[in-house]
Amino acid sequence: MTLKSRSKIVDLLKGGVVGTEVTAKGWVRTRRGNKNVAFIALNDGSTIHNIQVVADVTTFGDDFLKDVNTGACIMVVGQLVESPGAQQPVEIQAKNIEIYGKADAATYPLQKKGHSLEFLREIAHLRPRTNTFGAVLRIRHAMAYAIHKFYNDKGFFYLHTPIVTASDAEGAGAMFRVTTLDIENPPRSEDGKVNFTEDFFGKETNLTVSGQLEGELGALALSEIYTFGPTFRAENSNTPRHLAEFWMIEPEMAFYDIEDNMDLAEEFLKYLTSYALEHCKDDLEFLNKMWDKELIERLNFVASNKFVRLTYTEAVDILEKADQKWEFPVFWGADLQSEHERYLVEKHFKKPVILTNYPKDIKAFYMKQNDDGKTVRAMDVLFPKIGEIIGGSQREENLEALTTRMAEMNIPQDEMWWYIDTRKFGSAPHSGFGLGFERLLLFVTGMSNIRDVIPFPRTPNNCEF
């Protein structure tokens, strides 16, 4: 039996020709029946839906069919017929079944009963076979494709920024070190410190926290670029919103000011939301039914509403006047927390919100300062249920302003000479933002824990698989 003869289950259910002989391959979800007939629910991952295989017990025998149980991988050849049941339009009347791989019923972890998400994280190597994670991973693929399509269609260039880097874009210091030195006995300089000049790269290096700084270099030559790759934060954070390894989409655009930046962010998020609604209908309906009854309504809400734009100062004024008890106090200069962001979106405006002009003291060194000397042209996009989903800014293109700010924030200019060079030679106004891919997926899938929207989550004390 050749691969060419195999039909994907999604194609059989949507457009299979009744009366033809078909071949399906996949994993058994359930088997039920009586002494005369067995009904096998088969799934190959191409769709949330199973196809029903009807097998005559006298043809195949009880001894054979007992191995066609939950978790087993099989090939089925048979006739595609109309299904008398309301669950599916067609089913397969089996003529031949071949078992590719058995699954011991006593030890296979994914039995027909429901499983908690916490348990499924412990068996992340098998959880893609569940309906929930099959849906999440198909949506993850669709969103990755949509991201590339959006930027390609707009004429952006996909730039691959380094994963190993000597720079810290955030200035946070929460980075994973990359080294080939002997950790038991590293070489040391005269002052007793580790001598990284003897390391592989001749200097101290880390896994990247962001491709932004290198992305700016690309934008100041190609005009409009985007990055889409893995990033790493060595923060000992165990919240449902944080991972140590995650993916980021970071467009950088020459000649864009903060208004252009906000326009692009809004267009981008509406495009992705609409794409999910159009292309992931079955998976979204399943997740809406099983995990979040307001999911599809919330996606339509974002796709159809113009985002509200206001300054950080205006937002603080609204929050201070709100009849709310805050876990974290609100005052001008405070970094807004998720509870504040969600209040603005879900209760006050009842629309997605873009905040601008944040205090410079809570933002990064590369953000362009406003004339007031207190704020920078930063922007955060706030979504229902999530809070901040995008963070970005107009970048500081003025050499003197940039180096002054770097000195104020103790950013080592000698190590950032290449970044400063772009302000010396043909500097230009430019802007950009970052979208955490897994944050986006939390919103699009309705899942409540970020560990459940990435195939193999990396968190403190967890690096299995």
Side-chain angles (χ1 to χ4, degrees):
M1 191 62 64
T2 66
L3 182 62
K4 290 180 181 177
S5 64
R6 173 199 166 215
S7 295
K8 291 187 178 183
I9 289 172
V10 66
D11 297 327
L12 292 175
L13 293 175
K14 285 186 176 179
V17 179
V18 170
T20 58
E21 184 174 276
V22 298
T23 300
K25 302 179 183 184
W27 293 267
V28 176
R29 291 292 173 85
T30 61
R31 191 195 79 234
R32 59 184 178 82
N34 52 44
K35 63 182 180 181
N36 298 316
V37 64
F39 300 98
I40 302 161
L42 191 67
N43 191 283
D44 65 0
S46 63
T47 172
I48 191 74
H49 303 296
N50 306 322
I51 194 165
Q52 180 165 275
V53 177
V54 182
D56 186 280
V57 173
T58 57
T59 300
F60 293 97
D62 279 326
D63 285 347
F64 177 81
L65 288 173
K66 70 177 173 52
D67 287 330
V68 183
N69 56 355
T70 299
C73 184
I74 65 172
M75 176 187 75
V76 178
V77 180
Q79 189 173 40
L80 194 68
V81 301
E82 289 186 9
S83 177
Q87 299 281 329
Q88 62 278 318
V90 292
E91 61 188 27
I92 300 174
Q93 293 279 357
K95 293 181 180 178
N96 179 44
I97 298 176
E98 180 181 340
I99 300 174
Y100 284 150
K102 298 179 182 180
D104 179 42
T107 57
Y108 182 59
L110 296 173
Q111 293 302 317
K112 191 178 178 181
K113 66 177 183 178
H115 299 286
S116 71
L117 296 174
E118 289 79 7
F119 169 72
L120 292 175
R121 280 175 218 137
E122 296 173 6
I123 54 166
H125 60 305
L126 294 174
R127 69 179 183 171
R129 297 193 196 180
T130 65
N131 283 334
T132 294
F133 286 94
V136 167
L137 293 176
R138 282 187 294 272
I139 291 172
R140 186 181 173 101
H141 158 78
M143 289 295 90
Y145 174 79
I147 287 161
H148 286 298
K149 179 170 172 51
F150 175 82
Y151 286 112
N152 182 73
D153 290 353
K154 289 186 76 68
F156 281 55
F157 299 106
Y158 180 29
L159 186 74
H160 295 130
T161 53
I163 291 173
V164 178
T165 178
S167 65
D168 178 0
E170 299 298 319
M175 304 179 78
F176 290 101
R177 181 167 291 156
V178 175
T179 182
T180 58
L181 294 178
D182 180 357
I183 60 172
E184 300 291 340
N185 186 30
R188 297 188 181 275
S189 53
E190 292 182 2
D191 59 5
K193 294 180 179 179
V194 174
N195 184 4
F196 285 103
T197 62
E198 295 190 27
D199 207 348
F200 185 88
F201 293 107
K203 61 171 65 177
E204 189 173 353
T205 52
N206 305 281
L207 295 179
T208 185
V209 298
S210 167
Q212 179 205 312
L213 300 186
E214 293 87 354
E216 287 185 52
L217 312 185
L220 292 171
L222 301 173
S223 290
E224 295 165 331
I225 65 93
Y226 71 104
T227 76
F228 186 3
T231 51
F232 308 85
R233 303 280 168 92
E235 297 173 348
N236 189 19
S237 180
N238 287 283
T239 78
R241 289 161 49 88
H242 289 88
L243 291 165
E245 175 185 295
F246 56 99
W247 287 66
M248 287 275 285
I249 303 98
E250 296 177 293
E252 290 289 332
M253 299 77 61
F255 318 118
Y256 275 49
D257 64 16
I258 190 67
E259 293 293 331
D260 301 320
N261 207 23
M262 289 190 282
D263 290 344
L264 181 70
E266 180 169 348
E267 181 188 358
F268 181 39
L269 289 170
K270 284 185 173 181
Y271 178 92
L272 294 178
T273 306
S274 298
Y275 190 95
L277 287 164
E278 181 180 352
H279 296 277
C280 306
K281 185 172 181 287
D282 289 350
D283 288 323
L284 288 176
E285 286 177 350
F286 171 81
L287 294 170
N288 193 93
K289 177 183 175 182
M290 295 299 296
W291 296 105
D292 185 346
K293 298 290 191 288
E294 299 174 347
L295 173 60
I296 292 175
E297 179 185 347
R298 202 161 48 245
L299 292 173
N300 280 310
F301 166 85
V302 165
S304 60
N305 270 297
K306 185 167 177 57
F307 295 8
V308 176
R309 300 183 184 185
L310 70 158
T311 67
Y312 167 91
T313 301
E314 291 169 330
V316 168
D317 185 54
I318 291 168
L319 294 167
E320 286 178 331
K321 293 175 180 176
D323 185 21
Q324 291 280 123
K325 287 188 176 179
W326 304 116
E327 180 183 353
F328 297 95
V330 177
F331 55 91
W332 200 96
D335 204 355
L336 299 185
Q337 302 298 314
S338 180
E339 60 173 335
H340 310 133
E341 295 166 342
R342 291 185 60 183
Y343 174 84
L344 292 168
V345 174
E346 296 167 17
K347 294 185 178 180
H348 187 81
F349 290 107
K350 295 184 171 58
K351 289 182 180 180
V353 170
I354 307 181
L355 294 185
T356 57
N357 295 341
Y358 280 77
K360 69 176 185 179
D361 291 339
I362 60 172
K363 290 297 183 180
F365 74 92
Y366 47 73
M367 297 188 179
K368 185 168 183 62
Q369 292 188 50
N370 287 313
D371 294 338
D372 61 13
K374 298 191 303 180
T375 61
V376 291
R377 294 182 196 173
M379 67 162 203
D380 285 349
V381 182
L382 314 181
F383 261 24
K385 197 176 180 183
I386 300 295
E388 181 198 336
I389 195 167
I390 274 179
S393 71
Q394 185 172 339
R395 315 310 190 189
E396 182 57 75
E397 81 277 9
N398 180 273
L399 174 63
E400 184 180 353
L402 177 68
T403 53
T404 299
R405 188 68 182 136
M406 291 176 77
E408 290 173 359
M409 298 183 70
N410 297 315
I411 306 293
Q413 296 183 35
D414 57 334
E415 294 178 14
M416 299 288 289
W417 62 270
W418 48 271
Y419 186 73
I420 295 169
D421 263 7
T422 60
R423 274 63 172 178
K424 288 181 180 178
F425 309 124
S427 186
H430 62 290
S431 300
F433 61 79
L435 169 65
F437 190 41
E438 285 72 27
R439 290 273 179 95
L440 170 73
L441 289 167
L442 280 179
F443 177 73
V444 174
T445 64
M447 303 303 284
S448 58
N449 194 312
I450 203 164
R451 295 169 177 83
D452 298 326
V453 294
I454 192 168
F456 305 104
R458 298 290 181 247
T459 53
N461 299 312
N462 178 39
C463 194
E464 289 291 336
F465 317 108

